[in-house]
Short mmCIF file of all heavy atoms in Angstrom, two decimals:
data_model
loop_
_atom_site.label_atom_id
_atom_site.label_comp_id
_atom_site.label_asym_id
_atom_site.label_seq_id
_atom_site.Cartn_x
_atom_site.Cartn_y
_atom_site.Cartn_z
N MET A 1 -1.23 -15.16 4.63
CA MET A 1 -0.05 -16.05 4.71
C MET A 1 1.14 -15.37 4.04
O MET A 1 1.30 -15.42 2.83
CB MET A 1 -0.37 -17.37 3.99
CG MET A 1 -1.47 -18.16 4.67
SD MET A 1 -0.93 -19.00 6.15
CE MET A 1 -0.32 -20.54 5.42
N GLU A 2 1.95 -14.72 4.85
CA GLU A 2 3.10 -14.02 4.29
C GLU A 2 4.42 -14.68 4.67
O GLU A 2 5.47 -14.08 4.58
CB GLU A 2 3.12 -12.56 4.77
CG GLU A 2 2.20 -11.65 3.98
CD GLU A 2 2.62 -11.48 2.53
OE1 GLU A 2 3.83 -11.33 2.27
OE2 GLU A 2 1.74 -11.53 1.65
N SER A 3 4.34 -15.91 5.14
CA SER A 3 5.59 -16.54 5.57
C SER A 3 6.51 -16.75 4.38
O SER A 3 6.09 -17.19 3.32
CB SER A 3 5.31 -17.87 6.26
OG SER A 3 5.00 -18.85 5.30
N LYS A 4 7.73 -16.38 4.57
CA LYS A 4 8.71 -16.46 3.48
C LYS A 4 9.81 -17.44 3.86
O LYS A 4 10.96 -17.07 4.02
CB LYS A 4 9.30 -15.07 3.22
CG LYS A 4 8.34 -14.13 2.52
CD LYS A 4 8.39 -14.33 1.01
CE LYS A 4 7.35 -13.43 0.34
NZ LYS A 4 7.22 -13.70 -1.08
N GLU A 5 9.43 -18.65 4.04
CA GLU A 5 10.45 -19.66 4.35
C GLU A 5 11.30 -19.92 3.12
O GLU A 5 10.82 -19.84 2.00
CB GLU A 5 9.78 -20.96 4.77
CG GLU A 5 9.21 -20.91 6.17
CD GLU A 5 8.60 -22.26 6.52
OE1 GLU A 5 9.34 -23.25 6.47
OE2 GLU A 5 7.40 -22.29 6.83
N THR A 6 12.52 -20.25 3.38
CA THR A 6 13.39 -20.59 2.27
C THR A 6 13.12 -22.03 1.86
O THR A 6 13.34 -22.95 2.63
CB THR A 6 14.87 -20.44 2.67
OG1 THR A 6 15.06 -19.13 3.16
CG2 THR A 6 15.77 -20.67 1.48
N LEU A 7 12.63 -22.19 0.66
CA LEU A 7 12.27 -23.52 0.18
C LEU A 7 13.40 -24.15 -0.61
O LEU A 7 13.37 -25.33 -0.89
CB LEU A 7 11.04 -23.42 -0.72
CG LEU A 7 9.80 -22.83 -0.03
CD1 LEU A 7 8.77 -22.44 -1.06
CD2 LEU A 7 9.22 -23.83 0.94
N TYR A 8 14.36 -23.33 -0.97
CA TYR A 8 15.44 -23.83 -1.81
C TYR A 8 16.66 -22.96 -1.59
O TYR A 8 16.56 -21.85 -1.09
CB TYR A 8 15.03 -23.79 -3.28
CG TYR A 8 14.45 -22.43 -3.67
CD1 TYR A 8 15.30 -21.36 -3.96
CD2 TYR A 8 13.08 -22.23 -3.72
CE1 TYR A 8 14.79 -20.12 -4.28
CE2 TYR A 8 12.56 -20.98 -4.05
CZ TYR A 8 13.42 -19.94 -4.32
OH TYR A 8 12.91 -18.71 -4.64
N GLU A 9 17.79 -23.48 -1.98
CA GLU A 9 19.02 -22.69 -1.95
C GLU A 9 19.54 -22.59 -3.36
O GLU A 9 19.48 -23.54 -4.13
CB GLU A 9 20.07 -23.39 -1.08
CG GLU A 9 19.84 -23.19 0.39
CD GLU A 9 20.96 -23.83 1.20
OE1 GLU A 9 22.10 -23.87 0.70
OE2 GLU A 9 20.67 -24.29 2.31
N LEU A 10 20.03 -21.43 -3.69
CA LEU A 10 20.60 -21.24 -5.02
C LEU A 10 22.11 -21.09 -4.89
O LEU A 10 22.60 -20.21 -4.18
CB LEU A 10 20.00 -19.99 -5.68
CG LEU A 10 18.51 -20.08 -5.99
CD1 LEU A 10 18.03 -18.75 -6.55
CD2 LEU A 10 18.24 -21.20 -6.97
N GLN A 11 22.82 -21.96 -5.56
CA GLN A 11 24.27 -21.88 -5.55
C GLN A 11 24.73 -20.85 -6.57
O GLN A 11 23.94 -20.33 -7.34
CB GLN A 11 24.86 -23.26 -5.86
CG GLN A 11 24.50 -24.25 -4.77
CD GLN A 11 24.92 -25.67 -5.12
OE1 GLN A 11 25.60 -25.90 -6.11
NE2 GLN A 11 24.50 -26.60 -4.30
N ASP A 12 26.03 -20.59 -6.56
CA ASP A 12 26.57 -19.66 -7.55
C ASP A 12 26.33 -20.20 -8.95
O ASP A 12 26.19 -21.40 -9.15
CB ASP A 12 28.07 -19.45 -7.32
CG ASP A 12 28.33 -18.64 -6.06
OD1 ASP A 12 27.40 -17.99 -5.58
OD2 ASP A 12 29.46 -18.69 -5.57
N CYS A 13 26.34 -19.32 -9.91
CA CYS A 13 26.07 -19.69 -11.29
C CYS A 13 26.97 -20.82 -11.78
O CYS A 13 28.18 -20.71 -11.70
CB CYS A 13 26.27 -18.45 -12.16
SG CYS A 13 26.08 -18.79 -13.91
N PRO A 14 26.38 -21.90 -12.29
CA PRO A 14 27.17 -23.02 -12.80
C PRO A 14 27.85 -22.70 -14.13
O PRO A 14 28.77 -23.42 -14.53
CB PRO A 14 26.15 -24.15 -12.94
CG PRO A 14 24.84 -23.45 -13.10
CD PRO A 14 24.94 -22.18 -12.33
N ALA A 15 27.43 -21.66 -14.78
CA ALA A 15 28.02 -21.31 -16.07
C ALA A 15 29.26 -20.44 -15.89
O ALA A 15 30.33 -20.75 -16.40
CB ALA A 15 26.98 -20.61 -16.95
N CYS A 16 29.14 -19.35 -15.13
CA CYS A 16 30.29 -18.44 -14.99
C CYS A 16 30.94 -18.58 -13.61
O CYS A 16 32.02 -18.07 -13.39
CB CYS A 16 29.86 -16.99 -15.22
SG CYS A 16 28.72 -16.31 -13.99
N ARG A 17 30.26 -19.26 -12.71
CA ARG A 17 30.79 -19.52 -11.37
C ARG A 17 31.03 -18.25 -10.54
O ARG A 17 31.75 -18.26 -9.57
CB ARG A 17 32.09 -20.33 -11.44
CG ARG A 17 31.90 -21.62 -12.23
CD ARG A 17 32.94 -22.66 -11.89
NE ARG A 17 32.62 -23.93 -12.54
CZ ARG A 17 31.76 -24.80 -12.04
NH1 ARG A 17 31.17 -24.55 -10.89
NH2 ARG A 17 31.51 -25.92 -12.67
N GLU A 18 30.46 -17.17 -10.96
CA GLU A 18 30.63 -15.92 -10.20
C GLU A 18 29.29 -15.26 -9.92
O GLU A 18 29.11 -14.63 -8.89
CB GLU A 18 31.51 -14.94 -10.98
CG GLU A 18 32.96 -15.35 -11.00
CD GLU A 18 33.80 -14.39 -11.84
OE1 GLU A 18 33.28 -13.32 -12.20
OE2 GLU A 18 34.96 -14.73 -12.13
N GLY A 19 28.39 -15.38 -10.87
CA GLY A 19 27.12 -14.70 -10.74
C GLY A 19 26.24 -15.32 -9.66
O GLY A 19 26.44 -16.44 -9.24
N VAL A 20 25.25 -14.53 -9.25
CA VAL A 20 24.30 -14.99 -8.26
C VAL A 20 23.01 -15.39 -8.96
O VAL A 20 22.51 -14.66 -9.81
CB VAL A 20 24.01 -13.87 -7.23
CG1 VAL A 20 22.95 -14.30 -6.23
CG2 VAL A 20 25.29 -13.47 -6.53
N GLY A 21 22.49 -16.54 -8.61
CA GLY A 21 21.24 -16.99 -9.20
C GLY A 21 20.07 -16.23 -8.61
O GLY A 21 20.03 -15.96 -7.42
N CYS A 22 19.12 -15.90 -9.45
CA CYS A 22 17.95 -15.15 -9.01
C CYS A 22 16.69 -15.82 -9.54
O CYS A 22 16.59 -16.10 -10.72
CB CYS A 22 18.05 -13.71 -9.52
SG CYS A 22 16.69 -12.68 -8.97
N MET A 23 15.74 -16.09 -8.65
CA MET A 23 14.49 -16.70 -9.07
C MET A 23 13.63 -15.65 -9.76
O MET A 23 13.29 -14.63 -9.18
CB MET A 23 13.77 -17.26 -7.84
CG MET A 23 12.52 -18.04 -8.16
SD MET A 23 12.81 -19.60 -9.04
CE MET A 23 13.64 -20.58 -7.76
N GLU A 24 13.31 -15.91 -11.01
CA GLU A 24 12.50 -14.97 -11.78
C GLU A 24 11.13 -15.58 -12.05
O GLU A 24 11.01 -16.78 -12.28
CB GLU A 24 13.17 -14.69 -13.13
CG GLU A 24 14.58 -14.17 -13.01
CD GLU A 24 14.62 -12.68 -12.79
OE1 GLU A 24 13.54 -12.06 -12.74
OE2 GLU A 24 15.73 -12.14 -12.69
N HIS A 25 10.12 -14.73 -12.06
CA HIS A 25 8.77 -15.18 -12.40
C HIS A 25 8.31 -14.43 -13.63
O HIS A 25 8.57 -13.24 -13.77
CB HIS A 25 7.81 -14.94 -11.25
CG HIS A 25 8.05 -15.86 -10.09
ND1 HIS A 25 7.40 -17.05 -9.96
CD2 HIS A 25 8.91 -15.77 -9.06
CE1 HIS A 25 7.84 -17.66 -8.87
NE2 HIS A 25 8.76 -16.91 -8.30
N GLU A 26 7.66 -15.16 -14.50
CA GLU A 26 7.24 -14.53 -15.74
C GLU A 26 5.74 -14.67 -15.90
O GLU A 26 5.20 -15.77 -15.95
CB GLU A 26 7.96 -15.22 -16.90
CG GLU A 26 7.89 -14.44 -18.19
CD GLU A 26 8.91 -14.95 -19.20
OE1 GLU A 26 10.09 -14.64 -19.05
OE2 GLU A 26 8.51 -15.68 -20.10
N GLY A 27 5.08 -13.53 -15.96
CA GLY A 27 3.65 -13.52 -16.23
C GLY A 27 2.79 -14.21 -15.18
O GLY A 27 1.62 -14.46 -15.41
N GLY A 28 3.38 -14.51 -14.02
CA GLY A 28 2.61 -15.15 -12.96
C GLY A 28 2.24 -16.58 -13.26
O GLY A 28 1.34 -17.15 -12.63
N TRP A 29 2.92 -17.22 -14.20
CA TRP A 29 2.59 -18.60 -14.50
C TRP A 29 3.80 -19.50 -14.68
O TRP A 29 3.67 -20.70 -14.79
CB TRP A 29 1.71 -18.69 -15.74
CG TRP A 29 2.40 -18.21 -17.00
CD1 TRP A 29 2.45 -16.93 -17.45
CD2 TRP A 29 3.17 -18.99 -17.91
NE1 TRP A 29 3.20 -16.88 -18.60
CE2 TRP A 29 3.66 -18.12 -18.91
CE3 TRP A 29 3.50 -20.36 -17.98
CZ2 TRP A 29 4.46 -18.57 -19.96
CZ3 TRP A 29 4.29 -20.79 -19.04
CH2 TRP A 29 4.76 -19.91 -20.01
N CYS A 30 4.99 -18.93 -14.70
CA CYS A 30 6.16 -19.78 -14.77
C CYS A 30 7.35 -19.10 -14.11
O CYS A 30 7.36 -17.89 -13.91
CB CYS A 30 6.49 -20.19 -16.20
SG CYS A 30 7.33 -18.92 -17.16
N CYS A 31 8.32 -19.90 -13.74
CA CYS A 31 9.49 -19.36 -13.08
C CYS A 31 10.74 -20.05 -13.61
O CYS A 31 10.67 -21.12 -14.20
CB CYS A 31 9.40 -19.51 -11.56
SG CYS A 31 9.42 -21.22 -11.01
N TYR A 32 11.87 -19.41 -13.38
CA TYR A 32 13.16 -19.96 -13.76
C TYR A 32 14.22 -19.24 -12.97
O TYR A 32 13.95 -18.21 -12.35
CB TYR A 32 13.40 -19.80 -15.27
CG TYR A 32 13.36 -18.36 -15.75
CD1 TYR A 32 14.55 -17.63 -15.90
CD2 TYR A 32 12.15 -17.74 -16.06
CE1 TYR A 32 14.52 -16.31 -16.35
CE2 TYR A 32 12.12 -16.44 -16.50
CZ TYR A 32 13.31 -15.72 -16.65
OH TYR A 32 13.28 -14.41 -17.08
N VAL A 33 15.41 -19.80 -12.97
CA VAL A 33 16.51 -19.14 -12.27
C VAL A 33 17.45 -18.57 -13.31
O VAL A 33 17.79 -19.24 -14.30
CB VAL A 33 17.28 -20.13 -11.37
CG1 VAL A 33 18.41 -19.42 -10.63
CG2 VAL A 33 16.33 -20.77 -10.37
N ALA A 34 17.84 -17.33 -13.13
CA ALA A 34 18.74 -16.68 -14.07
C ALA A 34 19.94 -16.11 -13.33
O ALA A 34 19.84 -15.69 -12.17
CB ALA A 34 18.01 -15.57 -14.81
N CYS A 35 21.07 -16.08 -14.01
CA CYS A 35 22.29 -15.49 -13.46
C CYS A 35 22.25 -13.99 -13.67
O CYS A 35 21.99 -13.52 -14.78
CB CYS A 35 23.51 -16.10 -14.14
SG CYS A 35 25.05 -15.31 -13.64
N MET A 36 22.53 -13.24 -12.62
CA MET A 36 22.51 -11.79 -12.73
C MET A 36 23.74 -11.29 -13.48
O MET A 36 23.82 -10.14 -13.87
CB MET A 36 22.50 -11.15 -11.32
CG MET A 36 21.34 -11.61 -10.46
SD MET A 36 19.73 -11.42 -11.25
CE MET A 36 19.52 -9.65 -11.12
N ASP A 37 24.69 -12.17 -13.65
CA ASP A 37 25.97 -11.76 -14.22
C ASP A 37 26.07 -12.10 -15.72
O ASP A 37 26.23 -11.23 -16.56
CB ASP A 37 27.08 -12.45 -13.44
CG ASP A 37 28.37 -11.67 -13.50
OD1 ASP A 37 28.32 -10.48 -13.84
OD2 ASP A 37 29.43 -12.25 -13.22
N CYS A 38 25.96 -13.40 -16.04
CA CYS A 38 26.18 -13.80 -17.43
C CYS A 38 24.88 -14.08 -18.18
O CYS A 38 24.90 -14.27 -19.39
CB CYS A 38 27.08 -15.03 -17.47
SG CYS A 38 26.28 -16.55 -16.93
N GLY A 39 23.77 -14.11 -17.49
CA GLY A 39 22.49 -14.29 -18.16
C GLY A 39 22.09 -15.73 -18.41
O GLY A 39 21.06 -16.00 -19.01
N ALA A 40 22.91 -16.68 -17.95
CA ALA A 40 22.52 -18.09 -18.08
C ALA A 40 21.23 -18.30 -17.31
O ALA A 40 20.98 -17.65 -16.30
CB ALA A 40 23.61 -18.99 -17.52
N GLN A 41 20.40 -19.22 -17.79
CA GLN A 41 19.16 -19.46 -17.08
C GLN A 41 18.70 -20.91 -17.26
O GLN A 41 19.14 -21.60 -18.17
CB GLN A 41 18.06 -18.51 -17.55
CG GLN A 41 17.76 -18.58 -19.04
CD GLN A 41 16.68 -17.57 -19.43
OE1 GLN A 41 15.56 -17.94 -19.76
NE2 GLN A 41 17.04 -16.29 -19.40
N THR A 42 17.83 -21.32 -16.37
CA THR A 42 17.30 -22.68 -16.44
C THR A 42 16.12 -22.68 -17.40
O THR A 42 15.68 -21.64 -17.88
CB THR A 42 16.80 -23.15 -15.07
OG1 THR A 42 15.67 -22.36 -14.69
CG2 THR A 42 17.88 -23.04 -14.00
N ALA A 43 15.60 -23.88 -17.63
CA ALA A 43 14.35 -23.98 -18.38
C ALA A 43 13.25 -23.31 -17.55
O ALA A 43 13.43 -23.06 -16.37
CB ALA A 43 14.02 -25.44 -18.63
N HIS A 44 12.15 -23.05 -18.18
CA HIS A 44 11.02 -22.44 -17.48
C HIS A 44 10.12 -23.54 -16.92
O HIS A 44 9.87 -24.54 -17.57
CB HIS A 44 10.22 -21.56 -18.43
CG HIS A 44 10.96 -20.33 -18.85
ND1 HIS A 44 12.28 -20.34 -19.21
CD2 HIS A 44 10.56 -19.03 -18.94
CE1 HIS A 44 12.66 -19.09 -19.52
NE2 HIS A 44 11.63 -18.29 -19.36
N PHE A 45 9.63 -23.30 -15.72
CA PHE A 45 8.74 -24.26 -15.07
C PHE A 45 7.40 -23.59 -14.83
O PHE A 45 7.30 -22.60 -14.11
CB PHE A 45 9.36 -24.73 -13.74
CG PHE A 45 10.61 -25.53 -13.94
CD1 PHE A 45 11.85 -24.90 -14.02
CD2 PHE A 45 10.55 -26.91 -14.10
CE1 PHE A 45 13.01 -25.65 -14.24
CE2 PHE A 45 11.71 -27.65 -14.32
CZ PHE A 45 12.93 -27.02 -14.39
N ALA A 46 6.38 -24.14 -15.47
CA ALA A 46 5.06 -23.53 -15.38
C ALA A 46 4.32 -24.00 -14.12
O ALA A 46 4.59 -25.06 -13.58
CB ALA A 46 4.25 -23.90 -16.61
N TYR A 47 3.41 -23.16 -13.68
CA TYR A 47 2.56 -23.53 -12.54
C TYR A 47 1.19 -22.89 -12.69
O TYR A 47 1.04 -21.88 -13.41
CB TYR A 47 3.22 -23.10 -11.21
CG TYR A 47 3.61 -21.64 -11.14
CD1 TYR A 47 2.69 -20.67 -10.75
CD2 TYR A 47 4.91 -21.24 -11.45
CE1 TYR A 47 3.06 -19.34 -10.67
CE2 TYR A 47 5.28 -19.91 -11.38
CZ TYR A 47 4.36 -18.96 -10.99
OH TYR A 47 4.72 -17.64 -10.92
N ASN A 48 0.21 -23.48 -12.04
CA ASN A 48 -1.17 -22.98 -12.14
C ASN A 48 -1.73 -22.45 -10.84
O ASN A 48 -2.74 -21.78 -10.82
CB ASN A 48 -2.09 -24.11 -12.63
CG ASN A 48 -1.70 -24.56 -14.03
OD1 ASN A 48 -1.64 -23.77 -14.95
ND2 ASN A 48 -1.41 -25.84 -14.18
N ASN A 49 -1.07 -22.79 -9.75
CA ASN A 49 -1.56 -22.32 -8.47
C ASN A 49 -0.40 -22.23 -7.47
O ASN A 49 0.74 -22.53 -7.81
CB ASN A 49 -2.66 -23.25 -7.94
CG ASN A 49 -2.19 -24.70 -7.88
OD1 ASN A 49 -1.11 -24.98 -7.37
ND2 ASN A 49 -2.98 -25.60 -8.40
N GLU A 50 -0.72 -21.83 -6.25
CA GLU A 50 0.32 -21.58 -5.24
C GLU A 50 1.15 -22.82 -4.95
O GLU A 50 2.37 -22.77 -4.88
CB GLU A 50 -0.36 -21.08 -3.96
CG GLU A 50 0.61 -20.63 -2.90
CD GLU A 50 1.30 -19.30 -3.24
OE1 GLU A 50 0.93 -18.68 -4.26
OE2 GLU A 50 2.19 -18.91 -2.49
N ALA A 51 0.49 -23.96 -4.79
CA ALA A 51 1.21 -25.19 -4.49
C ALA A 51 2.14 -25.56 -5.63
O ALA A 51 3.30 -25.95 -5.41
CB ALA A 51 0.22 -26.32 -4.21
N GLU A 52 1.64 -25.43 -6.82
CA GLU A 52 2.47 -25.76 -7.99
C GLU A 52 3.61 -24.75 -8.15
O GLU A 52 4.68 -25.10 -8.62
CB GLU A 52 1.61 -25.77 -9.26
CG GLU A 52 0.72 -26.99 -9.35
CD GLU A 52 -0.04 -27.07 -10.66
OE1 GLU A 52 0.32 -26.37 -11.61
OE2 GLU A 52 -1.01 -27.82 -10.71
N ARG A 53 3.36 -23.52 -7.75
CA ARG A 53 4.40 -22.50 -7.84
C ARG A 53 5.60 -22.89 -6.98
O ARG A 53 6.75 -22.79 -7.39
CB ARG A 53 3.86 -21.14 -7.39
CG ARG A 53 4.89 -20.02 -7.52
CD ARG A 53 4.31 -18.67 -7.13
NE ARG A 53 3.96 -18.61 -5.72
CZ ARG A 53 4.87 -18.43 -4.76
NH1 ARG A 53 6.14 -18.28 -5.04
NH2 ARG A 53 4.49 -18.41 -3.50
N ILE A 54 5.31 -23.37 -5.78
CA ILE A 54 6.38 -23.77 -4.88
C ILE A 54 7.17 -24.93 -5.47
O ILE A 54 8.39 -24.94 -5.46
CB ILE A 54 5.79 -24.15 -3.50
CG1 ILE A 54 5.27 -22.88 -2.82
CG2 ILE A 54 6.84 -24.83 -2.64
CD1 ILE A 54 4.36 -23.14 -1.63
N GLU A 55 6.45 -25.89 -6.02
CA GLU A 55 7.12 -27.03 -6.65
C GLU A 55 7.95 -26.58 -7.84
O GLU A 55 9.06 -27.06 -8.07
CB GLU A 55 6.08 -28.07 -7.09
CG GLU A 55 5.51 -28.88 -5.95
CD GLU A 55 6.58 -29.51 -5.07
OE1 GLU A 55 7.46 -30.19 -5.62
OE2 GLU A 55 6.54 -29.30 -3.85
N ALA A 56 7.40 -25.65 -8.61
CA ALA A 56 8.11 -25.16 -9.79
C ALA A 56 9.40 -24.45 -9.37
O ALA A 56 10.45 -24.61 -10.00
CB ALA A 56 7.22 -24.22 -10.58
N GLU A 57 9.32 -23.69 -8.29
CA GLU A 57 10.52 -22.99 -7.80
C GLU A 57 11.57 -23.98 -7.34
O GLU A 57 12.75 -23.82 -7.60
CB GLU A 57 10.16 -22.05 -6.64
CG GLU A 57 9.43 -20.80 -7.10
CD GLU A 57 9.23 -19.81 -5.96
OE1 GLU A 57 9.60 -20.11 -4.81
OE2 GLU A 57 8.69 -18.72 -6.24
N LYS A 58 11.11 -25.02 -6.65
CA LYS A 58 12.06 -26.05 -6.18
C LYS A 58 12.74 -26.73 -7.36
O LYS A 58 13.94 -26.98 -7.35
CB LYS A 58 11.35 -27.09 -5.33
CG LYS A 58 11.01 -26.63 -3.93
CD LYS A 58 10.41 -27.81 -3.18
CE LYS A 58 9.79 -27.40 -1.86
NZ LYS A 58 9.01 -28.49 -1.27
N LYS A 59 11.94 -27.04 -8.38
CA LYS A 59 12.51 -27.71 -9.56
C LYS A 59 13.50 -26.80 -10.27
O LYS A 59 14.56 -27.25 -10.71
CB LYS A 59 11.38 -28.09 -10.53
CG LYS A 59 10.68 -29.37 -10.17
CD LYS A 59 9.65 -29.70 -11.25
CE LYS A 59 8.47 -30.46 -10.67
NZ LYS A 59 7.30 -30.41 -11.54
N ALA A 60 13.15 -25.52 -10.39
CA ALA A 60 14.05 -24.58 -11.04
C ALA A 60 15.36 -24.47 -10.25
O ALA A 60 16.45 -24.47 -10.82
CB ALA A 60 13.38 -23.21 -11.17
N ALA A 61 15.24 -24.40 -8.94
CA ALA A 61 16.43 -24.28 -8.09
C ALA A 61 17.29 -25.54 -8.21
O ALA A 61 18.51 -25.47 -8.33
CB ALA A 61 16.02 -24.07 -6.63
N TYR A 62 16.64 -26.70 -8.21
CA TYR A 62 17.37 -27.96 -8.34
C TYR A 62 18.10 -28.02 -9.67
O TYR A 62 19.29 -28.36 -9.75
CB TYR A 62 16.40 -29.13 -8.21
CG TYR A 62 17.06 -30.48 -8.44
CD1 TYR A 62 17.87 -31.03 -7.46
CD2 TYR A 62 16.88 -31.17 -9.64
CE1 TYR A 62 18.50 -32.26 -7.66
CE2 TYR A 62 17.50 -32.39 -9.86
CZ TYR A 62 18.30 -32.93 -8.86
OH TYR A 62 18.91 -34.13 -9.08
N THR A 63 17.41 -27.65 -10.73
CA THR A 63 18.01 -27.66 -12.06
C THR A 63 19.23 -26.74 -12.12
O THR A 63 20.26 -27.07 -12.69
CB THR A 63 16.96 -27.21 -13.09
OG1 THR A 63 15.82 -28.07 -13.00
CG2 THR A 63 17.51 -27.30 -14.51
N TRP A 64 19.08 -25.60 -11.48
CA TRP A 64 20.18 -24.63 -11.41
C TRP A 64 21.37 -25.24 -10.66
O TRP A 64 22.50 -25.18 -11.12
CB TRP A 64 19.68 -23.38 -10.69
CG TRP A 64 20.72 -22.35 -10.40
CD1 TRP A 64 21.41 -22.20 -9.24
CD2 TRP A 64 21.20 -21.33 -11.29
NE1 TRP A 64 22.27 -21.14 -9.34
CE2 TRP A 64 22.16 -20.59 -10.58
CE3 TRP A 64 20.88 -20.97 -12.60
CZ2 TRP A 64 22.83 -19.51 -11.15
CZ3 TRP A 64 21.54 -19.90 -13.17
CH2 TRP A 64 22.50 -19.17 -12.45
N ASN A 65 21.08 -25.82 -9.53
CA ASN A 65 22.15 -26.32 -8.67
C ASN A 65 22.91 -27.50 -9.27
O ASN A 65 24.08 -27.71 -8.93
CB ASN A 65 21.59 -26.70 -7.29
CG ASN A 65 21.18 -25.47 -6.50
OD1 ASN A 65 21.64 -24.37 -6.76
ND2 ASN A 65 20.32 -25.66 -5.52
N ILE A 66 22.26 -28.26 -10.14
CA ILE A 66 22.99 -29.37 -10.77
C ILE A 66 23.66 -28.89 -12.07
O ILE A 66 24.28 -29.67 -12.77
CB ILE A 66 22.08 -30.58 -11.07
CG1 ILE A 66 20.99 -30.23 -12.05
CG2 ILE A 66 21.52 -31.17 -9.77
CD1 ILE A 66 20.19 -31.45 -12.52
N GLY A 67 23.52 -27.62 -12.37
CA GLY A 67 24.25 -27.04 -13.50
C GLY A 67 23.58 -27.18 -14.85
O GLY A 67 24.22 -27.01 -15.88
N LYS A 68 22.30 -27.49 -14.83
CA LYS A 68 21.58 -27.64 -16.10
C LYS A 68 21.02 -26.29 -16.52
O LYS A 68 19.85 -25.98 -16.32
CB LYS A 68 20.44 -28.65 -15.89
CG LYS A 68 20.20 -29.52 -17.11
CD LYS A 68 19.18 -30.58 -16.78
CE LYS A 68 18.55 -31.11 -18.06
NZ LYS A 68 17.41 -31.98 -17.80
N VAL A 69 21.88 -25.48 -17.09
CA VAL A 69 21.46 -24.14 -17.48
C VAL A 69 21.70 -23.91 -18.97
O VAL A 69 22.52 -24.58 -19.58
CB VAL A 69 22.21 -23.05 -16.68
CG1 VAL A 69 21.87 -23.15 -15.19
CG2 VAL A 69 23.70 -23.15 -16.89
N ILE A 70 20.97 -22.97 -19.49
CA ILE A 70 21.13 -22.57 -20.89
C ILE A 70 22.05 -21.37 -20.90
O ILE A 70 21.75 -20.34 -20.29
CB ILE A 70 19.75 -22.21 -21.49
CG1 ILE A 70 18.81 -23.39 -21.39
CG2 ILE A 70 19.92 -21.74 -22.93
CD1 ILE A 70 17.34 -23.00 -21.41
N ARG A 71 23.16 -21.51 -21.56
CA ARG A 71 24.10 -20.40 -21.58
C ARG A 71 23.69 -19.39 -22.63
O ARG A 71 23.17 -19.73 -23.67
CB ARG A 71 25.50 -20.91 -21.85
CG ARG A 71 25.97 -21.85 -20.74
CD ARG A 71 27.41 -22.22 -20.93
NE ARG A 71 28.25 -21.04 -20.78
CZ ARG A 71 29.51 -21.11 -20.33
NH1 ARG A 71 30.04 -22.25 -20.00
NH2 ARG A 71 30.22 -20.01 -20.23
N MET A 72 23.93 -18.15 -22.28
CA MET A 72 23.46 -17.08 -23.16
C MET A 72 24.57 -16.48 -24.01
O MET A 72 24.32 -15.61 -24.83
CB MET A 72 22.85 -15.96 -22.30
CG MET A 72 21.47 -16.32 -21.80
SD MET A 72 20.31 -16.47 -23.16
CE MET A 72 19.14 -17.60 -22.50
N ASP A 73 25.80 -16.92 -23.80
CA ASP A 73 26.86 -16.28 -24.57
C ASP A 73 26.71 -16.61 -26.05
O ASP A 73 26.35 -17.70 -26.43
CB ASP A 73 28.25 -16.64 -24.05
CG ASP A 73 28.38 -18.12 -23.72
OD1 ASP A 73 27.87 -18.94 -24.51
OD2 ASP A 73 28.99 -18.45 -22.71
N PRO A 74 26.93 -15.64 -26.88
CA PRO A 74 26.66 -15.76 -28.33
C PRO A 74 27.69 -16.60 -29.10
O PRO A 74 27.75 -16.52 -30.30
CB PRO A 74 26.65 -14.31 -28.80
CG PRO A 74 27.55 -13.61 -27.85
CD PRO A 74 27.47 -14.34 -26.55
N GLY A 75 28.46 -17.40 -28.42
CA GLY A 75 29.46 -18.20 -29.10
C GLY A 75 30.80 -17.51 -29.10
O GLY A 75 30.87 -16.29 -29.24
N GLU A 76 31.84 -18.27 -28.93
CA GLU A 76 33.17 -17.66 -28.81
C GLU A 76 33.73 -17.30 -30.18
O GLU A 76 33.56 -18.02 -31.11
CB GLU A 76 34.13 -18.65 -28.12
CG GLU A 76 33.40 -19.57 -27.18
CD GLU A 76 33.53 -19.15 -25.74
OE1 GLU A 76 34.60 -19.42 -25.17
OE2 GLU A 76 32.61 -18.55 -25.19
ZN1 ZN B 101 26.61 -16.65 -14.59
#
């Protein structure tokens, strides 16, 4: 099963409004969306299997798209 349907859309970074969101996976058990530009990222969403992975990706994408991100800038 190699079908790569798009399950979610990632909008531009809600923090810097310029960066592109990228779905990252960590250790094969959780995922999050991070900005390639400013480093803002969503919370991590854990999963235990393929079905949960898809749900976790959708949740991460949704969180990103509504602008619920953790900003990485060290303070002004
Ligand atoms: Zn950004």
Side-chain angles (χ1 to χ4, degrees):
M1 295 284 273
E2 279 295 318
S3 76
K4 287 275 177 188
E5 285 182 58
T6 305
L7 300 165
Y8 49 80
E9 281 183 31
L10 294 176
Q11 296 173 8
D12 289 343
C13 175
C16 66
R17 305 202 172 278
E18 287 177 11
V20 177
C22 182
M23 186 68 68
E24 304 276 0
H25 288 268
E26 195 165 283
W29 64 273
C30 78
C31 66
Y32 59 96
V33 181
C35 174
M36 304 307 285
D37 206 18
C38 72
Q41 58 182 250
T42 66
H44 291 44
F45 294 88
Y47 54 85
N48 297 304
N49 54 48
E50 187 72 6
E52 286 185 16
R53 183 177 65 78
I54 291 166
E55 285 308 308
E57 286 187 357
K58 284 185 191 170
K59 278 184 210 162
Y62 175 76
T63 303
W64 174 264
N65 290 339
I66 63 172
K68 216 174 159 189
V69 296
I70 301 157
R71 297 187 65 151
M72 283 295 153
D73 43 41
E76 331 259 282

